[in-house]
Amino acid sequence: MGKNAIVGQSGGPTSVINASLAGVFESCKNRGADIVYGMCNGVAGLLEERVVDLSTLLTDDLDIELLKRTPSSFLGSCRYKLPDWRDDEAVYKKLFAILEKLNIGYFFYIGGNDSMDTIGKLADYGQRVGSDIRFMGVPKTIDNDLMVTDHTPGYGSAAKYIGVVMKEIIRDATVYGTKYVTAVEIMGRNAGWLTAAAALAKSDDCEGVDMICLPEVPFNVERFVEKVRVMQEKKPSIVIAVSEGVKLEDGRYVCELADDVHAVDAFGHKALTGTARYLANVVARNLDTKTRCIELSTLQRCAGHLTSRTDITEAYQVGGAAAKAAFEGVTGQMVALKRISNNPYQCTTELHPISEVANLEKKVPLSWMNNNHTQMTEDFLDYARPLIQAELTPLYIAGLPHHIYMKNQK
């Protein structure tokens, strides 16, 4: 009897994460996997033996096409931190017993930094106990902060959404000709890739945002207010893109100055929100201007109607590449995207050990910002523009996009 495969999705969803799921599923089936299981809610669900046979849910080509065009995590997600086996080996014994019962030979996890940490721990434990299961990481995150890969599936579509929305906000912000400051809060805890994408709005039909604030640059509230004051002497309406994760020089997040309650997840990450609201209020108190704040929030990662075709294609490719590698005997690795050229844009895949990825963060190079750290340079735009190209239109029914989802899964 042949071996089965299992795939899970973890962490924050994206609008193209299901394209990677489709790539894993189809490649595993084509390479002879008897059953391709899906974990419901990642490793957390697997520990409760909540799995599905994907062949019963994805029965034809139309289902696969719908899957590619459906945002968020089809299988459900989790933020579960797998302990070190030395601290809790019972968890590993339970997981491997479940995998043995399901006759799993190939294990795939689609996710970001923390998900790659999970793959690394499972691969190391599997090697320790002599398991022949192949563990592979499939990159996913809108944050674009994974090491070794040129970019991450999910980022291109989120960047496209941000570029589109910023153009529309700029048009709206300038209609009255009066003093107005619009602060737009964009996701990004420690890396400013998403906020940097606001620079894409500038073109021959749009003047672009007036200021970009990234977490990579220590933030000073007083200097920020002064920059806004100087800008408004030249033009009344100012639009600012600010990362939710901008920090003061002492390391505190700016949003913490608002005295809001910030929950902490299983990985110790503080929930960040309220940065734009706080800054808009500070500006309103100090300058003679109206202000407003806009939080793009989860819209950045679930806007399936604004996905990049490039992004969907690459998300599918990394899923397929992970399956290919696993069936060829590779374990403990992540598929990475390697850019060959910008113009014409060409990209291929390669493999890297999980140790080069897990628990590390790729930051925006400060050389890709101007001297006063308020705008992105052409180097960044050359990097980002190819990732937002082309569209894969949703399948519309009754005027709304049609999605595929699992019903009644517990």
Side-chain angles (χ1 to χ4, degrees), residues 75 129 139 346:
L75 293 170
V129 298
Q346 291 181 300

Side-chain angles (χ1 to χ4, degrees), residues 25-26 29 53-67 74 404:
F25 172 71
E26 290 202 307
K29 293 300 289 184
D53 179 350
L54 286 174
S55 293
T56 66
L57 302 175
L58 307 172
T59 59
D60 54 32
D61 290 343
L62 178 58
D63 286 342
I64 294 295
E65 279 305 310
L66 282 173
L67 186 64
F74 176 73
I404 185 171

Side-chain angles (χ1 to χ4, degrees), residues 287-356:
L287 301 178
D288 178 24
T289 182
K290 289 185 176 181
T291 65
R292 66 175 167 182
C293 64
I294 300 172
E295 290 186 18
L296 301 187
S297 189
T298 54
L299 294 171
Q300 296 156 88
R301 69 188 193 195
C302 69
H305 62 292
L306 274 177
T307 50
S308 151
R309 181 186 286 268
T310 298
D311 198 19
I312 288 181
T313 300
E314 291 179 343
Y316 183 83
Q317 287 174 340
V318 295
K324 177 179 182 292
F327 275 75
E328 292 174 352
V330 176
T331 189
Q333 307 255 322
M334 186 192 81
V335 177
L337 290 165
K338 180 180 180 181
R339 188 178 307 218
I340 298 170
S341 64
N342 281 336
N343 189 18
Y345 174 67
Q346 291 181 300
C347 199
T348 187
T349 60
E350 59 184 8
L351 299 175
H352 284 268
I354 288 291
S355 60
E356 297 179 6

